[in-house]
Amino acid sequence: MGISSEMRREDSWAKRRESLLIASAYEEDRIRKSRECTQEGVRAGTKAAAVACVASAIPTLVAVRTIPWAKANLNYTAQALIISAASIAAYFITADKTILECARRNSHYDKSA
């Protein structure tokens, strides 16, 4: 069922060997830093999404149980959409900001200007 991880590794090595271009140490370093920025963004986004989930779930669930209008109009799907929308937005906004900040930190612009 599917391609084993061993076969995938072999394919990636075969593609790398077939390439006519060889990355310099500088390019390898930039690729590594790019991956680290992405991972840092994912971690920060996940933390923000977890906080947003709790921060939006508690008032939503309390409102549905105490406010008559919310009790009548917000079914389970609406509650889930409210909570997940906050979590998704927090994830992407935080991940984007973190990746951009990391990219700025790793850029080699002339800092004297």
Side-chain angles (χ1 to χ4, degrees), residues 4-6 9 34-35 38-39 42-43 49 56-57 71 75-76 82 84 86 93-94 103 105:
S4 69
S5 61
E6 234 176 83
R9 266 191 250 126
S34 173
R35 285 190 185 127
T38 304
Q39 290 174 353
V42 168
R43 277 193 296 273
S56 64
K71 193 182 288 188
N75 60 14
Y76 295 120
I82 291 167
S84 63
I93 290 169
T94 306
R105 193 173 57 229

Side-chain angles (χ1 to χ4, degrees), residues 44-56 83 86-88 90-92 94:
T46 303
K47 289 177 187 176
V51 170
C53 180
V54 172
S56 64
I83 296 166
S87 300
I88 291 168
Y91 174 85
F92 283 109
T94 306

Side-chain angles (χ1 to χ4, degrees), residues 18-90:
E18 290 173 6
S19 175
L20 297 175
L21 302 175
I22 299 172
S24 69
Y26 176 72
E27 290 170 336
E28 292 278 340
D29 190 46
R30 287 182 65 194
I31 292 168
R32 183 186 52 80
K33 286 181 180 178
S34 173
R35 285 190 185 127
E36 288 173 2
C37 285
T38 304
Q39 290 174 353
E40 188 178 326
V42 168
R43 277 193 296 273
T46 303
K47 289 177 187 176
V51 170
C53 180
V54 172
S56 64
I58 292 170
T60 301
L61 296 175
V62 168
V64 166
R65 282 153 184 76
T66 58
I67 301 171
W69 179 89
K71 193 182 288 188
N73 293 309
L74 297 177
N75 60 14
Y76 295 120
T77 305
Q79 295 169 39
L81 283 171
I82 291 167
I83 296 166
S84 63
S87 300
I88 291 168

Side-chain angles (χ1 to χ4, degrees), residues 82-111:
I82 291 167
I83 296 166
S84 63
S87 300
I88 291 168
Y91 174 85
F92 283 109
I93 290 169
T94 306
D96 185 50
K97 284 184 175 184
T98 305
I99 291 169
L100 289 174
E101 189 270 327
C102 184
R104 271 190 226 103
R105 193 173 57 229
N106 290 330
S107 66
H108 297 290
Y109 294 120
D110 183 18
K111 295 185 172 124

